[in-house]
Amino acid sequence: GAGVSQSPSNKVTEKGKDVELRCDPISGHTALYWYRQSLGQGLEFLIYFQGNSAPDKSGLPSDRFSAERTGGSVSTLTIQRTQQEDSAVYLCASSEDRDQPQHFGDGTRLSIL
Amino acid sequence: DQQVKQNSPSLSVQEGRISILNCDYTNSMFDYFLWYKKYPAEGPTFLISISSIKDKNEDGRFTVFLNKSAKHLSLHIVPSQPGDSAVYFCASRSGGGADGLTFGKGTHLIIQP
């Protein structure tokens, strides 16, 4: 079956613009996660969804970041008024439930000019 | 404050020999540990995991060892193959806390012919 799918694979935008990143999890996976990886760093956890709800949003870097998940499937991560420090690879992962290993998509490489 | 540390940014091993990748953690609440492998421009791929109730888990050429008293885990790959050349990330999860994984910064394993 298909793995985690993320789009776009690459996004270049100007500082101050809004961007929306999309994640299609593996079918049937109830848990969905967003991470980002800045240059030379490990993965930084952003937010977790169980079904459509995100119990803890404190991992989001600022209030310019928001995420939603509808229908227990697709999720979008939105960054408003992008800044250069938002440049990173944004990775989505899903798992059958929180006690199972997470499976990652190939990420969206975001570059803010 | 890094809770998961991979102190070797890179490791070079001859093909056919054993590769040993190390990881240290500081958070005593971590109860589940995973290793991921990552190729350039791809998302991390799950390799093997271990629960804190065990001290060893084996899957083919991959074995993970957990030493809870030392807060240390290691991944052994034997025999090492050219396709094992990649960046390896150690990750941990806290049973009572956030639902995302905490990652180390990775070790770049290079298998030499």
Side-chain angles (χ1 to χ4, degrees):
Chain A
V4 176
S5 176
Q6 291 187 246
S7 60
S9 55
N10 284 283
K11 177 72 176 178
V12 180
T13 193
E14 292 179 348
K15 176 182 169 182
K17 300 285 190 184
D18 297 353
V19 295
E20 189 173 279
L21 313 179
R22 177 187 168 105
C23 172
D24 274 288
I26 294 172
S27 178
H29 282 194
T30 60
L32 185 147
Y33 309 80
W34 284 98
Y35 295 82
R36 75 175 175 181
Q37 184 178 20
S38 302
L39 193 63
Q41 302 297 313
L43 279 72
E44 173 192 3
F45 169 65
L46 299 180
I47 193 167
Y48 153 73
F49 286 90
Q50 180 58 47
N52 290 335
S53 66
D56 181 3
K57 299 182 180 180
S58 64
L60 294 174
S62 76
D63 58 8
R64 296 184 295 104
F65 286 71
S66 62
E68 65 174 17
R69 187 181 187 195
T70 54
S73 182
V74 172
S75 176
T76 54
L77 178 70
T78 302
I79 310 172
Q80 296 179 308
R81 306 180 303 280
T82 52
Q83 304 293 312
Q84 287 186 330
E85 62 262 27
D86 299 334
S87 295
V89 177
Y90 289 81
L91 290 152
C92 176
S94 70
S95 61
E96 290 182 40
D97 59 54
R98 70 176 297 275
D99 293 323
Q100 298 301 316
Q102 298 174 25
H103 299 274
F104 285 81
D106 287 339
T108 294
R109 181 174 297 276
L110 177 64
S111 301
I112 309 299
L113 302 177
Chain B
D1 179 30
Q2 266 190 280
Q3 297 189 64
V4 177
K5 296 181 184 179
Q6 294 178 256
N7 291 319
S8 299
S10 66
L11 175 68
S12 185
V13 174
Q14 203 164 12
E15 182 179 357
R17 299 287 186 101
I18 184 170
S19 295
I20 300 176
L21 298 130
N22 293 301
C23 178
D24 296 293
Y25 62 96
T26 58
N27 189 340
S28 57
M29 294 294 290
F30 285 148
D31 68 348
Y32 183 52
F33 304 88
L34 308 91
W35 283 95
Y36 284 84
K37 171 182 178 180
K38 187 180 184 301
Y39 294 120
E42 294 184 10
T45 300
F46 169 70
L47 276 177
I48 192 167
S49 63
I50 188 167
S51 163
S52 60
I53 62 173
K54 295 186 175 182
D55 56 18
K56 177 183 174 181
N57 188 26
E58 192 171 352
D59 184 2
R61 296 187 298 116
F62 301 93
T63 303
V64 56
F65 295 92
L66 175 61
N67 182 333
K68 287 189 292 294
S69 61
K71 292 192 175 70
H72 178 83
L73 68 156
S74 61
L75 174 69
H76 292 208
I77 307 172
V78 56
S80 300
Q81 299 175 353
D84 296 331
S85 294
V87 177
Y88 289 77
F89 290 97
C90 168
S92 307
R93 194 197 69 192
S94 170
D99 294 284
L101 297 174
T102 301
F103 281 82
K105 291 188 177 182
T107 296
H108 186 193
L109 177 65
I110 302 161
I111 305 302
Q112 295 185 332

